[in-house]
Amino acid sequence: MNRWLTRRWPAPHWPSVRGRGRTDAGALLLTACVIAVVALLAAAVPALLRAAADDAVQDTVRRAGNESHLLVHADWERDAGPTGGRLRISRLADDVDDLRARATYTLGPDLDAALLPSIAVVNSPILRITDGNLPRTVQLTYLADDLGGPDVTWIAGSAPGPTIPERSIEIPYHGPPWPVQVGLSEADAAALQVGPGDRIPAEDDHGRDKDIRISGIYRPADNADPAWRLAPALLRPVPSADGPGTTRVAALLSRESLPDARLAFDQDQLRRTVHFAPAPDALTWDATTTLASQVVKLKASSGSSAARDGSLKWESQLDTVLRDARTQISAAFTQAAVLLAAVLTATVLVLLLAADLLVRRRTPALSAARQRGAALPDLGAELIIESTVVSLSAAAVGLALAHTTAPGASWTWTIPVVLAGAIAGPTFGTLAAARASRDRHQPVNPAARRWILTTGRLRRAAVEAAVLIAAVAAVGTLHQRGLLPDASHGDTGELTGDLVLPISAVALGALAGALVVLRLLPVGLRIVLRQALRSRRPLAVFGAARAATTAARALPLLVLVSATALASFALVVGATITRGLDDGAWHTTGADARLDISSDVQDATPALAERIAAAPGIEQVVAAQVTDSAPLFTESTLFTPRLVIVDAAAFGRLLATTPLPDAPALSQLTAPGPDPAGVPALVRSSTGDLHTGTRLQLSRDNGPTIRLTAVGTAPPVGGAGDVVIVDAAALAEAGLPAVPNTIWVTGPGTAQAVSDSGVPAGIVLRTDILQAQRVAPLTAGTLRLAWTTAAVLLALGLLGLTLAAAAGAQERWQTLTRLRTLGLRPRDARWVAAGELLPPVVVAAVCGPLLGALLAHLTLGPLELQLLTGQAADPATVLPWWLLGLTGVALVAAATAVVPVEAALRRHDRLSEVLRAGE
């Protein structure tokens, strides 16, 4: 009880605090700069990623196009008449407007704010045009928005009107085709070679003729009007929209002709749909979860598809698009967290080394204060006050700069750095003061000395085993769990408890590898020393002896190896993403350029290919017919792959000149197949269900189906998951000649050659795709962070080297100066100093990059880098050996420069002071 009553609060001696601060101002300023810089990086990165996350959501929605639209369908009211016929309901356009209003009201405020004004689309079934030899189709379409529909100028004829002047009339169910007036665009009219007053001869799937009358030819006022994107055939013919070799045109209905279109088809054949397009600028990452859940609720509340009433039936992939965006953003957040954890680990080690250097300088002063009666709590309080002020002030400066750079910066990631800066110095200083005043003597009993030595070894082994176990557990958890957040915790962008261990896998792995090197280095140096003792080179003996003596210091080697390994890992991440973007661009285009030929000039595709091939700088030109969602059937299911009809030999030569994987199976397309009645085909299935020997049937209009037999695996084409490749000559022999609509071009002169083609075509350049991927918000941010992390870690490694050299400089040069009294020349002293400094640096320069490459091999797979590169699978790990070698060379060069600098600073040391040291 009396002990508790006599205890007092620590009483700092403020003059001592100020005096130590002035004396060691340089070291404290260095610590503050390290904390400020790392705090700036750690606080700004999450805020910058959040801003990039909003841009990424908007970019993803824009790229999704119509797939991100929210659709709502509703059946028409029955038009049965009182005498058993069908009524012409003149207010159908008003019903469409009512459907738009009802759907908008059902959205709710959150969705309504995130979506653009609705656009209603009424579509007829696809009809076959019966004249001509080309397979062509036509569809009747009505568009309505808040302004009544997209503006057009009637350059010939007039807008479609009603067939009869009566507003209401009843017609029999099985009467003659009911006439309907439509308008055509200039391109569609030119393709069909029709004008006002002509008719479009068409029939439905049952062979029933339709009476479609052209009232006028229009020109859109604005081709970029969002309504046209929902029906592009209203502007120009769309190739392959209804199967290989087909061309679709669309006819525009007006408010007046819409009732006639209803009568021209059966009761439920005219479908009305309201489209809600997202407003990308209104979407943020924080709102995606709410919006996706509301879309799911709308789809769950949809009326039954079997119900023939006016209930709303919702359909959308917006929730999937938003989830994919959140998945990509979550992966970017965790990838950034891995890199930040690496920076924080190296920073903490450097701060520990800086604290150790500071305490070494202060040990005489602390020992003197202790001998004068200063209590350990008082000394500890003084050191804590000093380090806390320095750490908090530096962190505040870093946070202020971070808020200036990225508003909304977070302080969470700065906590480890501030704690290390505030605690390391006082802890080391208090222990040094305690050792200086400890009256414990070395025991005389050998068994007691062995016990003390064994106890120290066991403690060190326990710490090392704990780090190794944690590293193994972290890597195992990373592979089993991955880095994406658990959906049950909600994706908030903040780290949850289950993510801390896998995110720390790389940092713990580097630390564990550094501990292994720390164990092996003294053994190697002792072997070198034994070999040096047998030689006749005294300088080698002195250098090896000094290196073996200082090898027991753990912090310098831990800092060097860990920082070098983590910097190498960051370099590997940056190089892998860069190469993955390039490979993704190659897979997207399939060549240096891809031309998607317009349907109205596809007959000129072979001549265009020959003209491009003759241009300078062109290596390969291959023409093919590429059809997305081609109707193929297996024995029991519909298979809608990307069908590529191409010259197999030419396509193989094209692949051989690109970084794309070769496809030796292409040679089997021209060889006799196992099924004489089937055309050989290469098949790629995203599910892996289709294997060699699978039989497929290709359906086509106005002709029998064509049998295909899978003889091998198809190479990826344009990033599609399902691909079927058929040789053009073999398919032509089966009765389906190819109509090329795609040209692949390779060679240094590709860009100039395709730009001078002079043919209406969509030109996709690989360099444009690559540039678009590089400037994507998350990809660009992660790449910048990887390179910045590598630079910061290399700087921390060099700083750690400098601090380690400074910590042992006094002892090193005292020994060398004493050796000079025995005849060692100054030049030889520098060689001995280099022999002491270089071994751990060379080991770190060699082992650090190798350890970083090993960590990349073990952890890059679960990092989900393919979500950034746009590849279907994990990108191949790329080891930039020249950058890794440059990292090691930088360390060795810095260590080499330390020796002459130290020699220049120590050349004025007096020999008498060195000889009296320790008296």
Side-chain angles (χ1 to χ4, degrees):
M1 185 67 179
N2 292 333
R3 291 176 54 197
W4 290 98
L5 292 176
T6 57
R7 285 190 175 184
R8 61 178 179 83
W9 290 98
H13 186 249
W14 298 108
S16 298
V17 174
R18 290 190 295 270
R20 279 193 294 267
R22 286 192 297 267
T23 302
D24 300 314
L28 295 176
L29 182 60
L30 177 63
T31 301
C33 290
V34 171
I35 294 176
V37 171
V38 176
L40 168 62
L41 179 64
V45 166
L48 293 174
L49 278 179
R50 285 183 177 274
D54 293 340
D55 296 337
V57 170
Q58 298 166 9
D59 183 64
T60 302
V61 170
R62 289 191 183 98
R63 291 174 184 240
N66 291 351
E67 292 183 4
S68 64
H69 287 193
L70 180 62
L71 312 180
V72 57
H73 311 281
D75 293 328
W76 302 93
E77 63 174 307
R78 307 295 292 180
D79 58 3
T83 62
R86 296 181 63 188
L87 287 176
R88 181 183 186 276
I89 303 175
S90 59
R91 55 178 173 79
L92 283 187
D94 295 332
D95 290 345
V96 173
D97 293 337
D98 292 341
L99 175 62
R100 292 177 51 245
R102 187 154 54 102
T104 303
Y105 177 77
T106 309
L107 291 177
D110 292 334
L111 271 178
D112 191 19
L115 300 175
L116 295 173
S118 62
I119 300 174
V121 181
V122 180
N123 283 323
S124 74
I126 305 298
L127 305 175
R128 288 194 300 269
I129 299 177
T130 55
D131 71 335
N133 297 324
L134 297 177
R136 294 178 296 185
T137 60
V138 63
Q139 185 177 39
L140 278 57
T141 302
Y142 170 74
L143 299 175
D145 54 19
D146 290 342
L147 301 177
D151 292 334
V152 296
T153 301
W154 296 96
I155 60 175
S158 60
T163 301
I164 58 175
E166 291 84 357
R167 294 180 59 84
S168 179
I169 189 175
E170 185 175 355
I171 66 171
Y173 265 100
H174 301 291
W178 187 259
V180 55
Q181 295 185 17
V182 299
L184 287 179
S185 67
E186 291 180 279
D188 288 337
L192 298 180
Q193 297 182 353
V194 295
D198 294 334
R199 298 190 182 188
I200 302 177
E203 64 180 14
D204 61 13
D205 292 337
H206 301 287
R208 295 176 296 186
D209 293 331
K210 300 298 177 181
D211 189 357
I212 305 173
R213 303 176 181 181
I214 301 174
S215 66
I217 308 299
Y218 64 85
R219 179 181 299 159
D222 181 11
N223 287 338
D225 192 302
W228 297 122
R229 289 198 291 266
L230 303 179
L234 287 172
L235 296 179
R236 63 187 62 87
V238 177
S240 303
D242 302 303
T246 64
T247 301
R248 181 194 292 181
V249 298
L252 182 65
L253 296 168
S254 66
R255 295 180 67 91
E256 291 75 17
S257 65
L258 181 60
D260 296 314
R262 175 81 187 280
L263 294 179
F265 298 92
D266 291 341
Q267 281 277 356
D268 300 322
Q269 286 189 322
L270 206 66
R271 292 188 51 128
R272 54 176 181 169
T273 304
V274 178
H275 292 249
F276 291 93
D281 295 337
L283 296 176
T284 61
W285 176 63
D286 294 332
T288 52
T289 300
T290 302
L291 296 178
S293 63
Q294 291 180 354
V295 171
V296 172
K297 290 178 181 178
L298 283 178
K299 293 196 292 186
S301 65
S302 295
S304 172
S305 59
R308 299 300 180 186
D309 53 15
S311 59
L312 301 181
K313 302 175 182 63
W314 297 91
E315 174 189 347
S316 180
Q317 294 297 320
L318 179 59
D319 54 331
T320 303
V321 172
L322 294 178
R323 279 198 299 269
D324 291 343
R326 290 192 68 84
T327 300
Q328 186 183 23
I329 293 168
S330 299
F333 271 121
T334 50
Q335 292 156 6
V338 170
L339 296 174
L340 283 179
V343 173
L344 295 184
T345 300
T347 304
V348 169
L349 291 175
V350 169
L351 290 177
L352 292 177
L353 187 57
D356 178 66
L357 172 62
L358 185 61
V359 169
R360 285 173 179 268
R361 292 181 175 180
R362 288 180 170 180
T363 297
L366 294 176
S367 301
R370 181 63 175 153
Q371 292 170 0
R372 288 195 300 266
L376 287 178
D378 296 341
L379 286 177
E382 293 171 5
L383 296 176
I384 287 177
I385 291 172
E386 177 189 75
S387 61
T388 301
V389 170
V390 171
S391 299
L392 291 180
S393 301
V397 172
L399 288 173
L401 294 175
H403 277 282
T404 304
T405 306
S410 173
W411 52 268
T412 306
W413 283 93
T414 63
I415 293 177
V417 177
V418 175
L419 288 179
I423 295 176
T427 302
F428 291 165
T430 304
L431 291 176
R435 284 193 296 266
S437 58
R438 186 171 55 189
D439 57 356
R440 183 190 303 175
H441 299 285
Q442 184 74 11
V444 179
N445 187 354
R449 290 198 299 269
R450 285 195 300 270
W451 174 260
I452 294 175
L453 182 62
T454 303
T455 301
R457 290 175 176 174
L458 288 176
R459 289 173 179 171
R460 177 180 176 180
V463 174
E464 293 175 347
V467 174
L468 290 174
I469 292 173
V472 173
V475 174
T477 305
L478 177 63
H479 279 271
Q480 290 183 352
R481 188 209 175 283
L483 279 178
L484 296 181
D486 190 353
S488 61
H489 292 159
D491 191 3
T492 62
E494 300 294 337
L495 293 184
T496 54
D498 58 334
L499 279 176
V500 173
L501 190 59
I503 282 176
S504 307
V506 175
L508 289 173
L511 195 58
L515 289 175
V516 173
V517 175
L518 181 62
R519 277 287 185 178
L520 297 178
L521 180 61
V523 177
L525 289 177
R526 284 196 293 268
I527 295 175
V528 172
L529 179 59
R530 283 198 294 268
Q531 295 296 327
L533 289 173
R534 298 174 184 174
S535 69
R536 298 180 178 180
R537 299 176 180 176
L539 295 183
V541 175
F542 294 150
R546 288 296 307 164
T549 302
T550 58
R553 294 181 58 198
L555 274 178
L557 190 63
L558 287 180
V559 170
L560 292 177
V561 176
S562 299
T564 309
L566 293 174
S568 302
F569 173 81
L571 291 174
V572 173
V573 170
T576 300
I577 294 177
T578 302
R579 178 70 61 81
L581 292 174
D582 188 60
D583 291 345
W586 276 107
H587 280 86
T588 299
T589 57
D592 286 322
R594 187 186 74 235
L595 279 75
D596 299 323
I597 310 300
S598 178
S599 61
D600 52 351
V601 294
Q602 288 181 359
D603 293 339
T605 301
L608 174 62
E610 294 178 359
R611 189 164 69 251
I612 294 176
I618 299 300
E619 296 176 356
Q620 295 289 331
V621 177
V622 177
Q625 178 179 334
V626 180
T627 305
D628 289 329
S629 301
L632 278 80
F633 293 87
T634 62
E635 296 179 354
S636 58
T637 60
L638 173 65
F639 182 50
T640 56
R642 173 171 292 174
L643 177 62
V644 181
I645 306 173
V646 65
D647 183 347
F651 192 55
R653 291 193 297 270
L654 174 73
L655 294 179
T657 59
T658 67
L660 296 173
D662 295 333
L666 285 170
S667 60
Q668 302 181 34
L669 295 181
T670 55
D675 183 6
V679 178
L682 300 184
V683 178
R684 171 178 290 270
S685 173
S686 58
T687 60
D689 296 336
L690 302 181
H691 307 285
T692 301
T694 302
R695 289 177 171 80
L696 304 172
Q697 290 186 347
L698 173 62
S699 63
R700 55 176 178 157
D701 296 332
N702 302 324
T705 60
I706 297 177
R707 292 176 57 181
L708 306 178
T709 302
V711 296
T713 302
V717 178
D722 299 328
V723 178
V724 173
I725 300 179
V726 183
D727 182 66
L731 196 62
E733 292 180 2
L736 182 60
V739 181
N741 59 4
T742 300
I743 298 178
W744 289 296
V745 186
T746 62
T750 296
Q752 183 65 34
V754 298
S755 62
D756 295 339
S757 62
V759 174
I763 300 176
V764 182
L765 293 176
R766 180 184 58 84
T767 53
D768 293 343
I769 297 294
L770 179 59
Q771 181 61 23
Q773 290 288 348
R774 283 178 175 172
V775 300
L778 291 179
T779 305
T782 305
L783 263 178
R784 284 195 294 266
L785 178 60
W787 301 128
T788 303
T789 298
V792 171
L793 287 169
L794 180 59
L796 289 173
L798 295 176
L799 178 59
L801 170 63
T802 305
L803 293 175
Q810 182 175 2
E811 180 184 356
R812 178 167 53 253
W813 288 97
Q814 281 183 353
T815 303
L816 293 176
T817 305
R818 290 170 182 172
L819 289 175
R820 286 179 58 190
T821 63
L822 302 177
L824 192 68
R825 294 175 300 178
R827 179 182 177 183
D828 297 336
R830 290 194 293 271
W831 279 108
V832 174
E836 176 184 347
L837 288 175
L838 283 179
V841 175
V842 172
V843 169
V846 173
C847 295
L850 295 178
L851 179 58
L854 176 62
L855 291 174
H857 177 73
L858 293 176
T859 61
L860 278 191
L863 285 185
E864 306 286 352
L865 293 181
Q866 77 276 7
L867 296 177
L868 294 180
T869 60
Q871 297 171 275
D874 293 334
T877 302
V878 178
L879 300 178
W881 289 115
W882 71 276
L883 287 177
L884 302 183
L886 188 61
T887 301
V889 169
L891 279 183
V892 175
T896 306
V898 165
V899 176
V901 172
E902 284 188 350
L905 294 176
R906 298 281 178 176
R907 68 175 182 268
H908 298 298
D909 289 351
R910 295 181 180 179
L911 185 60
S912 58
E913 295 178 355
V914 175
L915 293 176
R916 285 199 302 267
E919 292 182 358

